[in-house]
């Protein structure tokens, strides 16, 4: 299977959830390059894609089978699209990287009754500090989510993301592999090793 995610986010979702699932790609960017959901779509997952830039939306319409929308994901319109297009309010994986719209998108999702099993949330702490990280963490924890991997970083030490899970969807044994301040590579290796050891 070919993966496309720049920092292995698609591997994380695939190994954690399995061969079939649902995704939201919020801030989808290019349809294939560094894309966190292209591999999942090819594996048979179903999902929706969003970007505020018409350029990426048009490219995705040409090269992806999932529906893609050009919308401000921090707006009520985003929540409306979700309600109209999702058969279930529980999403297996959310890739959330909408820059300044990320926190608004998160609020729209949670406050409109949508939930997820796992999510990669890019907060760019290395550049923005706690502008996105602190409020997103507070909001997610208030809704019962836990970071499986917090302060996920590149090999150079720059902290980029938090990888969240709904603890009601996974075993205590899986939750025990969680860690803070490790690299993208180490996160995926931990999930892969867990799956290999536990079927």
């Amino acid at each position: 299977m070919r993966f496309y995610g720049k920092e292995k986010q698609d591997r994380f979702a695939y190994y954690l959830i399995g061969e079939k699932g649902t995704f939201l790609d919020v801030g989808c960017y290019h349809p294939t390059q560094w894309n966190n959901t292209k591999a999942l779509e090819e594996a048979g997952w179903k999902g929706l894609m969003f970007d505020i830039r018409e350029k990426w939306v048009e490219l995705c319409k040409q090269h992806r089978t999932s529906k893609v929308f050009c919308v401000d994901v921090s707006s009520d319109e985003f929540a409306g699209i979700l309600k109209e297009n999702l058969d279930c309010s529980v999403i297996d994986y959310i890739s959330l990287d909408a820059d300044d719209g990320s926190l608004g998108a998160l609020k729209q999702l949670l406050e409109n009754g949508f939930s997820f099993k796992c999510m990669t949330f890019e907060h760019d702490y290395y550049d923005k500090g706690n502008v996105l990280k602190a409020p997103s963490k507070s909001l997610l924890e208030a809704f019962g989510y836990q970071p499986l991997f917090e302060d996920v970083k590149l090999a150079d030490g720059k902290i980029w993301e938090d990888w969240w899970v709904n603890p009601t969807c996974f075993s205590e044994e899986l939750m025990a592999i969680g860690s803070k301040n490790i690299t993208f590579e180490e996160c995926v290796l931990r999930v892969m090793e867990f799956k290999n050891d536990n079927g």
Side-chain angles (χ1 to χ4, degrees):
M1 179 173 174
R2 178 182 178 185
F3 291 96
Y4 301 82
K6 186 179 181 184
E7 303 301 343
K8 301 177 175 61
Q9 294 92 337
D10 47 0
R11 293 175 191 258
F12 168 66
Y14 182 78
Y15 295 135
L16 202 56
I17 303 298
E19 295 182 358
K20 291 188 178 181
T22 55
F23 68 79
L24 296 182
D25 197 338
V26 185
C28 58
Y29 179 60
H30 193 278
T32 56
Q33 182 185 19
W34 301 339
N35 189 278
N36 290 348
T37 60
K38 170 67 171 170
L40 303 177
E41 185 181 87
E42 289 182 345
W45 286 46
K46 305 295 182 187
L48 303 175
M49 304 168 65
F50 302 88
D51 208 285
I52 201 167
R53 296 169 187 83
E54 191 66 42
K55 171 185 178 181
W56 303 129
V57 170
E58 288 305 313
L59 267 180
C60 288
K61 285 180 179 177
Q62 295 170 30
H63 299 283
R64 298 287 296 270
T65 58
S66 300
K67 287 184 180 179
V68 57
F69 301 88
C70 188
V71 63
D72 175 356
V73 293
S74 64
S75 70
D76 292 340
E77 183 183 359
F78 172 59
I81 291 170
L82 295 177
K83 290 173 183 176
E84 290 172 12
N85 290 274
L86 289 176
D87 296 328
C88 178
S89 62
V90 181
I91 299 118
D92 290 304
Y93 168 60
I94 300 175
S95 170
L96 212 170
D97 176 14
D99 300 326
D100 293 339
S102 291
L103 193 59
L106 188 59
K107 289 178 180 177
Q108 288 289 345
L109 283 159
L110 298 176
E111 292 173 2
N112 281 283
F114 296 97
S115 63
F116 62 85
K117 293 180 182 177
C118 66
M119 176 177 69
T120 55
F121 185 91
E122 184 171 319
H123 49 60
D124 298 325
Y125 181 83
Y126 75 95
D127 182 47
K128 299 178 184 292
N130 269 317
V131 171
L132 291 176
K133 178 176 168 55
S136 63
K137 182 177 181 182
S138 177
L139 182 61
L140 284 159
E141 288 180 338
F143 276 82
Y145 294 96
Q146 293 180 21
L148 186 64
F149 301 115
E150 187 175 356
D151 293 339
V152 184
K153 63 184 181 180
L154 294 173
D156 63 8
K158 289 181 179 176
I159 295 170
W160 282 71
E161 296 187 349
D162 290 334
W163 290 7
W164 291 85
V165 294
N166 183 338
T168 66
C169 298
F170 301 101
S171 66
E172 290 182 9
E173 290 79 13
L174 177 85
M175 298 304 297
I177 72 169
S179 190
K180 187 172 181 177
N181 203 33
I182 61 175
T183 66
F184 290 95
E185 180 78 27
E186 290 171 309
C187 293
V188 173
L189 285 174
R190 287 194 181 202
V191 173
M192 288 176 64
E193 287 170 359
F194 176 84
K195 285 297 184 179
N196 287 336
D197 292 342
N198 295 273

